[in-house]
Amino acid sequence: MITVSLVQPNFRTGGNSFAGYWLPYSIGCVYSYSAFGDFQDQLELNQIIFRRENTVTASDNMVGDDIVLFSNFMWNWEYNKALAQDIKIRYPECKVIMGGPQVTDTPDNRFFNRYNFVDTVCLTEGEESFVEILQSVIDNKPIEKIYQGERLDHLEIPSPYLTGIFDNIIQNNPGFVFNATLETNRGCPFACTFCDWGSLTYAKIRKFPLDKVFDELEWMAKNGMDY
């Protein structure tokens, strides 16, 4: 079994007794694509970091992890770097995988020298890249420094909501209010300079199956998503 932890922390929203958090949808998509696909019986999910826990406490719970997968945005980049560095110092055999829009789209030796606790960078959509990484780990082959998977042509893929990846987060945090991202399509025909999404996916729009969109909406209603 390959033990994996997922990291996509968000800021808390609200104040006083109100604690709202976004479910880590992006990292959930990457994991569920493999865990409920070709590697269904070979992956074990350990931790999902969805909020800014103390980095020492978070890494304490990752003892024995084979892979820690990070989804990086400008609002969690500094936290993720600190946690990744702590993990690499304490568990050097653990593979630290970085993806998301905050990671540079042109990583070179300067990037890996500066962030020497990063094993691999995933560019563009992460699902197929993570498949390649897992296959290398299973085959006991070295993983590459950079992966750049193709865009998914067909979006009939597992949902992190419907597969139950987030169920424990909701059940174990009864005092929190959760928000959820609803993804109905990927891609954008425009390349606006102010928008990271358009620059990454300048291409034909690909739509998710409508029945999946409706099922996710039902899941969000049943699980009390606030926004």
Side-chain angles (χ1 to χ4, degrees):
M1 295 290 286
I2 300 174
T3 305
V4 181
S5 283
L6 311 176
V7 182
Q8 186 185 330
N10 289 280
F11 283 113
R12 169 180 168 172
T13 60
N16 298 323
S17 61
F18 184 92
Y21 292 96
W22 285 89
L23 291 173
Y25 174 76
S26 300
I27 205 81
C29 285
V30 174
Y31 179 80
S32 62
Y33 184 79
S34 296
F36 297 91
D38 295 340
F39 300 91
Q40 190 163 1
D41 299 320
Q42 296 168 286
L43 297 183
E44 180 179 4
L45 180 59
N46 179 19
Q47 295 286 310
I48 303 179
I49 305 300
F50 68 94
R51 62 190 180 102
R52 292 166 180 269
E53 302 178 16
N54 180 280
T55 56
V56 175
T57 302
S59 60
D60 279 343
N61 295 324
M62 295 176 183
V63 176
D65 280 3
D66 299 297
I67 295 173
V68 179
L69 191 62
F70 290 80
S71 183
N72 298 282
F73 299 83
M74 61 182 179
W75 54 81
N76 65 21
W77 178 234
E78 296 301 325
Y79 175 91
N80 283 1
K81 287 189 296 181
L83 177 56
Q85 187 170 29
D86 193 44
I87 290 169
K88 203 63 180 176
I89 291 172
R90 301 175 72 183
Y91 322 120
E93 297 303 314
C94 179
K95 303 299 182 186
V96 171
I97 314 298
M98 292 286 196
Q102 185 63 21
V103 175
T104 175
D105 59 358
T106 54
D108 54 20
N109 287 335
R110 288 175 298 175
F111 176 89
F112 290 104
N113 288 336
R114 182 176 183 182
Y115 306 120
N116 57 8
F117 47 85
V118 176
D119 291 288
T120 294
V121 167
C122 294
L123 307 177
T124 64
E125 291 181 345
E127 284 91 350
E128 285 295 331
S129 294
F130 192 47
V131 165
E132 292 184 42
I133 292 169
L134 290 172
Q135 194 59 60
S136 294
V137 172
I138 289 171
D139 295 340
N140 201 26
K141 295 179 179 178
I143 60 175
E144 303 291 333
K145 285 287 188 183
I146 302 170
Y147 287 85
Q148 187 163 3
E150 298 293 329
R151 290 191 61 208
L152 298 179
D153 288 326
H154 303 288
L155 292 180
E156 294 182 1
I157 60 176
S159 163
Y161 302 119
L162 305 179
T163 53
I165 288 178
F166 301 140
D167 288 358
N168 284 342
I169 292 178
I170 297 171
Q171 292 168 7
N172 295 336
N173 296 280
F176 292 175
V177 175
F178 287 102
N179 304 320
T181 301
L182 180 67
E183 190 176 30
T184 61
N185 66 275
R186 289 187 183 179
C188 178
F190 308 107
C192 301
T193 55
F194 59 82
C195 175
D196 181 72
W197 176 243
S199 65
L200 283 174
T201 63
Y202 182 53
K204 182 179 178 181
I205 290 176
R206 291 167 170 81
K207 298 180 180 179
F208 283 91
L210 269 180
D211 57 346
K212 179 185 177 184
V213 174
F214 291 147
D215 287 344
E216 289 188 334
L217 281 169
E218 290 285 350
W219 184 94
M220 292 174 189
K222 291 177 180 177
N223 286 275
M225 296 298 103
D226 189 63
Y227 183 78

